[in-house]
Amino acid sequence: LWSDAKHVTPMLPKISYVQQCLSCKHYFLFDKNSQREEINDDYKSFCLETGNLSYQQLKEAYVELSNDKIIDEFSFRIMLIWGYNDIYYKQTNIPKEEYEYFVDNVRALLPLMKDNDILTSELHREIGEFDEAIKIIENNQASNEFIQKVQQQILERSQIKDSKVFLLYGKDRI
């Protein structure tokens, strides 16, 4: 489990709910693909073999699908955050346009957040809004020991102005 709420489950298949048809290269939502008439029935099940999309593919898919009223904007934006963090979490020289895209995406996601103060504070931390991240953590009581440990890690990283995503739970963590 990562601080941006991404969880890695190697024992499960990696199938994103956003897919790209291998035939026509259009993107579609796996659970709602019947609403996309241009996807040929012969390729719907075949597309599952593509698994998770790359960060670049997710960005392309968002542009293509954002006009559809069928997308779950929260889920799509969080997948974009995960894609960005997968690529850039260890890098120090992130291209300016990629970082700006990430920040814009986080800012668009924040109003969609409902009752998830930990993720909200984490996202503020990841875009360099450390004071806001600290304020959210300090104003929220942890409901259990695990949440308290997560809050403490976000708080500590905010205090030292560290905006990188980090491993919360997994090998050698919590």
Side-chain angles (χ1 to χ4, degrees), residues 3-5 102 106 109-110 113-140 147-159 162-164 166 168:
S3 60
D4 62 1
F102 173 73
V106 169
L109 177 62
L110 286 170
M113 301 292 291
K114 294 183 175 102
D115 301 324
N116 193 333
D117 293 326
I118 293 174
L119 184 55
T120 299
S121 63
E122 171 60 12
L123 293 175
H124 280 289
R125 185 188 69 80
E126 287 187 27
I127 62 172
E129 295 176 352
F130 303 109
D131 292 339
E132 184 64 21
I134 291 168
K135 182 175 134 186
I136 293 168
I137 292 293
E138 289 177 342
N139 289 326
N140 286 283
I147 299 298
Q148 185 178 15
K149 288 179 181 180
V150 172
Q151 287 177 323
Q152 186 61 39
Q153 289 185 45
I154 293 171
L155 184 64
E156 288 171 3
R157 284 173 168 78
S158 295
Q159 290 169 338
D162 177 1
S163 63
K164 296 293 186 180
F166 59 93
L168 283 171

Side-chain angles (χ1 to χ4, degrees), residues 30-126:
F30 173 66
D31 60 343
K32 308 221 185 205
N33 62 14
S34 61
Q35 297 180 33
R36 300 284 301 205
E37 293 176 13
E38 65 269 24
I39 304 299
N40 183 324
D41 284 334
D42 295 338
Y43 290 97
K44 286 180 182 174
S45 62
F46 186 65
C47 291
L48 292 178
E49 295 179 15
T50 61
N52 286 326
L53 298 179
S54 70
Y55 176 55
Q56 188 59 39
Q57 287 174 310
L58 282 169
K59 287 170 54 177
E60 292 169 2
Y62 186 76
V63 169
E64 183 176 325
L65 298 173
S66 62
N67 292 329
D68 288 351
K69 301 299 180 207
I70 60 173
I71 71 166
D72 174 357
E73 188 172 359
F74 177 86
S75 296
F76 218 117
R77 289 191 178 281
I78 200 77
M79 286 191 309
L80 284 165
I81 289 168
W82 294 341
Y84 173 90
N85 281 333
D86 286 349
I87 292 174
Y88 295 113
Y89 81 100
K90 287 186 178 180
Q91 295 184 20
T92 54
N93 294 325
I94 299 169
K96 182 180 178 185
E97 62 278 357
E98 288 296 335
Y99 180 72
E100 289 172 352
Y101 184 89
F102 173 73
V103 170
D104 290 345
N105 185 49
V106 169
R107 288 200 171 121
L109 177 62
L110 286 170
L112 304 174
M113 301 292 291
K114 294 183 175 102
D115 301 324
N116 193 333
D117 293 326
I118 293 174
L119 184 55
T120 299
S121 63
E122 171 60 12
L123 293 175
H124 280 289
R125 185 188 69 80
E126 287 187 27

Side-chain angles (χ1 to χ4, degrees), residues 12-26:
L12 297 176
K14 292 173 176 52
I15 300 174
S16 170
Y17 94 105
V18 180
Q19 289 294 305
Q20 183 180 39
C21 180
L22 298 175
S23 176
C24 68
K25 303 299 181 195
H26 282 285

